[in-house]
Amino acid sequence: MKTLDVRGLYEQLYNQMGPQRWWPAERWMETIVGSILIQNASAKTVDPVIEKVGRETGFDPQVLIGLSQEELEQLIFEAGLYRSKAKYLRASLEFFGQYDFDLAPLQALETAELRKRIRAVNGIGNETADVWLVYIFGRAQFIADSYSRRLMNFLGGTEKLTYEKVQKVVMNNSDFTPDEAREFHALIDEFGKLYLRNRDQFLTSWLRDANFNEHILNQF
């Protein structure tokens, strides 16, 4: 049994899978669209819809906010839950529209305040807020999504790990740069697609004999 700290887990994933380079920051509106459409959906379902939005709008926020609600719903129809997601997307566009779609005033905020403002947007929960922080604003935040929580459980954490608990433990035991935070989330999710459907599947992975060290396990 090999024991890992958070950095060791990152290195294991990175060495095995290589850089993922998800969601370049310069295409931030694509990140907004993708992070909302992926809610309660799979990448297989959502990726073609994101591509469609890109083709028809160029991810131009002025074009997107100029669409009627019906047009927005039709544009994202195939992503499922399209009425709710259209409302969330419009709320997000209106949030950034308050700043004339200029990220600089928001980028100047401390992470806690920025996260508070993002979380106040209709339809934006913990995970989506942290995706924005990591992939748009370059903050070294940990995104404790379902794959992350399942992985922490399989590495020795308790079964019912909350988003807040996992995020706190990881961030208290890591010193990731913003680029590493981006990669860590992408690596875990790509690993999750292959090995985190259930414990039996996890046991076919190269992490099957790994566990967190006692220092970290005592914090879960």
Side-chain angles (χ1 to χ4, degrees):
M1 178 71 70
K2 54 188 173 186
T3 59
L4 299 172
D5 57 13
V6 174
R7 172 64 64 177
L9 173 60
Y10 172 83
E11 291 174 352
Q12 285 277 323
L13 292 169
Y14 191 90
N15 291 339
Q16 288 285 341
M17 303 174 69
Q20 302 301 304
R21 301 188 180 94
W22 275 18
W23 284 340
E26 63 269 17
R27 296 164 63 182
W28 66 273
M29 185 49 65
E30 181 179 356
T31 302
I32 297 296
V33 172
S35 66
I36 291 171
L37 297 189
I38 198 66
Q39 294 177 6
N40 300 300
S42 67
K44 183 178 179 180
T45 298
V46 167
D47 284 349
V49 185
I50 296 173
E51 292 175 7
K52 177 183 175 184
V53 174
R55 287 195 307 272
E56 298 196 15
T57 71
F59 298 112
D60 185 329
Q62 298 289 359
V63 173
L64 282 162
I65 204 169
L67 298 175
S68 70
Q69 194 66 14
E70 183 178 357
E71 288 171 330
L72 198 54
E73 289 176 1
Q74 286 300 313
L75 182 62
I76 66 169
F77 180 84
E78 292 88 353
L81 301 174
Y82 63 94
R83 288 196 175 93
S84 296
K85 291 179 182 180
K87 289 178 183 177
Y88 301 157
L89 182 53
R90 183 167 301 282
S92 301
L93 290 163
E94 289 172 350
F95 170 72
F96 287 101
Q98 297 175 69
Y99 304 93
D100 297 320
F101 300 105
D102 180 3
L103 298 182
L106 291 165
Q107 189 65 273
L109 299 173
E110 294 291 332
T111 298
E113 175 60 24
L114 177 55
R115 191 177 193 275
K116 179 180 176 181
R117 295 193 190 188
I118 292 171
R119 283 283 284 110
V121 178
N122 185 29
I124 306 304
N126 285 325
E127 182 178 333
T128 305
D130 290 328
V131 165
W132 292 10
L133 288 173
V134 171
Y135 288 98
I136 297 173
F137 295 101
R139 308 300 171 96
Q141 193 84 349
F142 181 69
I143 303 165
D145 61 10
S146 58
Y147 279 143
S148 297
R149 298 195 300 276
R150 197 170 300 165
L151 178 57
M152 301 304 153
N153 169 229
F154 292 164
L155 291 175
T158 57
E159 284 195 21
K160 294 185 178 179
L161 293 172
T162 65
Y163 189 102
E164 293 81 0
K165 170 62 76 173
V166 169
Q167 183 178 70
K168 181 179 180 180
V169 171
V170 170
M171 294 185 69
N172 283 347
N173 291 276
S174 61
D175 57 352
F176 291 134
T177 66
D179 283 345
E180 288 172 334
R182 294 162 67 94
E183 283 296 337
F184 197 29
H185 172 245
L187 287 163
I188 289 174
D189 277 22
E190 290 300 328
F191 179 85
K193 294 172 187 176
L194 297 171
Y195 299 113
L196 292 178
R197 189 175 304 159
N198 52 53
R199 186 172 290 276
D200 287 342
Q201 192 181 47
F202 173 72
L203 292 175
T204 68
S205 79
W206 68 88
L207 288 176
R208 62 185 176 275
D209 294 323
N211 213 346
F212 276 130
N213 62 37
E214 187 174 349
H215 174 71
I216 293 177
L217 292 179
N218 287 340
Q219 297 175 54
F220 280 123

